[in-house]
Amino acid sequence: MKGGEIIPLEELNLPFLSEEHRLLRSAIREFAEKEIIPTALERDKNSDIQGTVKIFKKLAKLGYAGIRIPEEYGGQGMDMYSEIILMEELGYADPSVAVTMLIHTGAAAACIYQLAPEELKQRYLPTIAKGEKILAFAMTEDEIPGSWSSYMKTTAKLEGDKYILNGRKAFITNAGIADLFVVFARLDQEKPDHKGIGIFLVEKEFPGVSFESEEPALGIKAASWGTVSFNNCEVPKENLIMEPPKAFAAAMNLFNQERMENPSVCNGIATRALDESVGFLSQRKDPRSGKSFIEGYQSLQFKIAEMYALIRASRLGVWHAAYLLENGHPYVKEVSAAKFFANEAVRKVCSDAVQLHGGYGYSAALIVEKLLRDGMFGGIAGGTLEALKLRTIREILREKGISRK
Ligand SMILES: Cc1cc2nc3c(=O)[nH]c(=O)nc-3n(C[C@H](O)[C@H](O)[C@H](O)COP(=O)(O)OP(=O)(O)OC[C@H]3O[C@@H](n4cnc5c(N)ncnc54)[C@H](O)[C@@H]3O)c2cc1C
């Protein structure tokens, strides 16, 4: 039940957004209304990953798969503001489509266009920008806590003109649909920490790559998420994106900027939950007075006002971090805080939306139940709530010159 937008995603009137950004938003919105929103519930119920891939390919035809890839490699060369617009709109329309695109356009692509040697960029980026090849980002392992990824067990050894990779990567978005994997593996066995890690670009067809299975999940069920293993996987020497000891630190640095996308998806989800709630409460009537719930019940009006305030603050937090990034200011503290704030906000807003819908909120017939499940992803993926709080406090203490020990 859609109630129209009570909080239009464009309403913030951010002074740094151009007419081009506004046109981009309406183009994505128009596409989403026709091609994504009508099938979102059904794809979720059927875990229809291939249905989501079809939508990804259509979005790619419109240029969105290469939104920030530089134009010289066939991308659109757009800025972080454009990426945020894409993520907010896709999050609003369907988080499964959003995360499929997020991994492709975000950290995985950035590792290639920002860290890889020129030859690798020229060879792979044009097909990635067109969405002909889908990307996955393979860092987390099931045996090592993701919060301690730098102690990963996956190894890479140079033998002749090939690297031989061995290991398993778990909880990987796009694992079952990816053509290319950006893989983190320990190349320098002498160094057990981040200084031993290299980054590789691995084609699905390389000998020794196998997708194990889709992981049954709480939400985002129409997106691929699972385990991929590398068993004596042969990777040509030229497919090294970056070598140790600098690779892991360089990637971590990059991920700070790529942290804008996940909370933007969450803000899109939360906005949808609010719109749905206003729509529902406008139609639900008190049989005595004939007034709608939203007209008649002040406690529900307060709830809507609180949801609105939370979403507004959350969106402004991400947009401010993006403004700092785009204008060359420090932004790590701000993006870390904006991410965990948005990750918690979406959980609160979606939980309230379910409550406001009563039995219809608990029922899988309407979208808010799915939004609550989908909205959980943000606080675990791309840096957990706890990791981002630690990062925020570390930056605050560093600025104040206070030691954490
Ligand atoms: C939807 C989704 C998509 C994902 N996609 C990808 C992907 O594409 N590629 C990829 O590589 N990974 C992906 N991941 C994995 C994700 O990055 C990890 O799940 C995450 O880093 C947490 O690691 P973990 O699951 O091993 O939890 P653990 O590290 O075992 O942590 C368990 C809990 O303890 C907390 N914790 C850990 N250390 C501390 C501490 N020092 N202080 C306080 N609390 C702490 C954590 O925050 C967490 O709440 C995805 C995960 C999800 C849910």
Side-chain angles (χ1 to χ4, degrees):
M1 194 173 296
K2 189 160 182 316
E5 283 176 275
I6 189 74
I7 171 171
L9 283 168
E10 49 273 76
E11 76 147 15
L12 295 174
N13 279 329
L14 298 166
F16 45 83
L17 293 189
S18 64
E19 187 53 25
E20 206 177 66
H21 290 117
R22 292 189 180 90
L23 290 173
L24 174 71
R25 188 185 286 289
S26 42
I28 302 167
R29 173 66 59 95
E30 201 178 309
F31 177 89
E33 280 173 355
K34 276 199 208 118
E35 305 277 352
I36 306 179
I37 292 178
T39 60
L41 255 185
E42 209 51 34
R43 276 182 292 106
D44 178 76
K45 277 187 193 136
N46 300 325
S47 297
D48 181 8
I49 294 167
Q50 285 311 318
T52 298
V53 171
K54 277 188 195 141
I55 293 172
F56 172 92
K57 295 283 181 184
K58 286 185 185 173
L59 283 163
K61 281 219 164 73
L62 299 170
Y64 300 126
I67 190 161
R68 275 186 309 138
I69 292 176
E71 284 170 287
E72 70 240 56
Y73 305 111
Q76 303 293 315
M78 291 185 183
D79 53 14
M80 185 55 82
Y81 303 146
S82 307
E83 178 94 46
I84 290 178
I85 289 169
L86 180 64
M87 290 302 141
E88 284 188 344
E89 290 295 336
L90 294 183
Y92 187 97
D94 180 16
S96 283
V97 175
V99 299
T100 304
M101 187 58 90
L102 182 160
I103 289 297
H104 181 87
T105 59
C111 275
I112 304 169
Y113 66 76
Q114 297 210 19
L115 304 181
E118 188 57 32
E119 187 275 328
L120 217 48
K121 291 186 196 176
Q122 290 192 7
R123 189 144 51 94
Y124 286 102
L125 283 174
T127 52
I128 294 167
K130 283 194 209 127
E132 289 166 6
K133 303 270 185 208
I134 299 180
L135 280 175
F137 174 85
M139 162 114 71
T140 309
E141 300 177 359
D142 44 7
E143 285 181 25
I144 297 287
S147 319
W148 296 98
S149 277
S150 55
Y151 289 84
M152 66 182 60
K153 296 248 174 82
T154 300
T155 56
K157 283 185 188 142
L158 185 59
E159 288 183 11
D161 58 355
K162 291 193 171 82
Y163 289 103
I164 307 298
L165 266 59
N166 278 293
R168 284 176 92 223
K169 297 289 183 181
F171 307 140
I172 306 303
T173 305
N174 292 351
I177 60 168
D179 304 286
L180 294 168
F181 295 86
V182 171
V183 182
F184 288 69
R186 187 166 308 286
L187 183 53
D188 185 344
Q189 317 302 324
E190 304 290 303
K191 304 214 172 76
D193 59 5
H194 68 279
K195 293 199 183 105
I197 293 166
I199 313 173
F200 303 83
L201 188 53
V202 179
E203 294 185 20
K204 174 179 76 174
E205 287 82 13
F206 285 171
V209 180
S210 54
F211 167 61
E212 291 190 10
S213 59
E214 293 291 345
E215 184 80 30
L218 172 69
I220 319 214
K221 286 173 177 286
S224 172
W225 188 60
T227 303
V228 61
S229 57
F230 304 94
N231 300 309
N232 291 321
C233 167
E234 297 175 19
V235 180
K237 211 172 151 189
E238 310 78 60
N239 280 40
L240 176 68
I241 293 177
M242 203 173 185
E243 62 186 348
K246 291 197 174 149
F248 194 80
M252 286 299 133
N253 202 22
L254 204 62
F255 299 159
N256 284 320
Q257 79 185 43
E258 299 310 318
R259 292 234 156 87
M260 314 259 170
E261 294 130 24
N262 166 313
S264 302
V265 174
C266 292
N267 289 335
I269 298 173
T271 306
R272 178 74 182 273
L274 175 59
D275 284 351
E276 295 293 332
S277 300
V278 172
F280 181 83
L281 296 177
S282 306
Q283 289 174 22
R284 204 82 172 141
K285 296 255 165 49
D286 180 326
R288 296 162 307 172
S289 66
K291 279 187 181 171
S292 70
F293 280 18
I294 202 159
E295 288 170 301
Y297 300 155
Q298 198 180 49
S299 63
L300 301 189
Q301 293 172 350
F302 281 7
K303 186 56 74 190
I304 294 292
E306 287 164 19
M307 291 160 84
Y308 168 80
L310 206 50
I311 295 169
R312 183 176 170 281
S314 181
R315 292 187 62 213
L316 284 172
V318 179
W319 280 107
H320 177 239
Y323 169 81
L324 295 175
L325 166 75
E326 286 291 340
N327 289 281
H329 301 296
Y331 64 91
V332 174
K333 179 183 64 184
E334 289 79 1
V335 74
S336 305
K339 181 179 184 296
F340 77 71
F341 189 91
N343 295 160
E344 291 184 331
V346 70
R347 292 179 182 185
K348 171 84 172 76
V349 167
C350 291
S351 166
D352 286 346
V354 166
Q355 186 64 26
L356 289 174
H357 278 72
Y360 283 111
Y362 197 72
S363 159
L366 295 192
I367 197 100
V368 285
E369 172 267 350
K370 165 174 145 51
L371 296 175
L372 177 62
R373 289 186 286 104
D374 288 352
M376 286 297 292
F377 93 99
I380 301 172
T384 62
L385 296 174
E386 293 77 12
L388 271 298
K389 286 177 187 178
L390 285 170
R391 190 66 217 243
T392 305
I393 190 65
R394 197 185 307 155
E395 290 298 313
I396 291 172
L397 297 184
R398 192 182 54 74
E399 284 170 11
K400 299 269 175 221
I402 302 171
S403 160
R404 273 201 312 151
K405 299 266 163 71

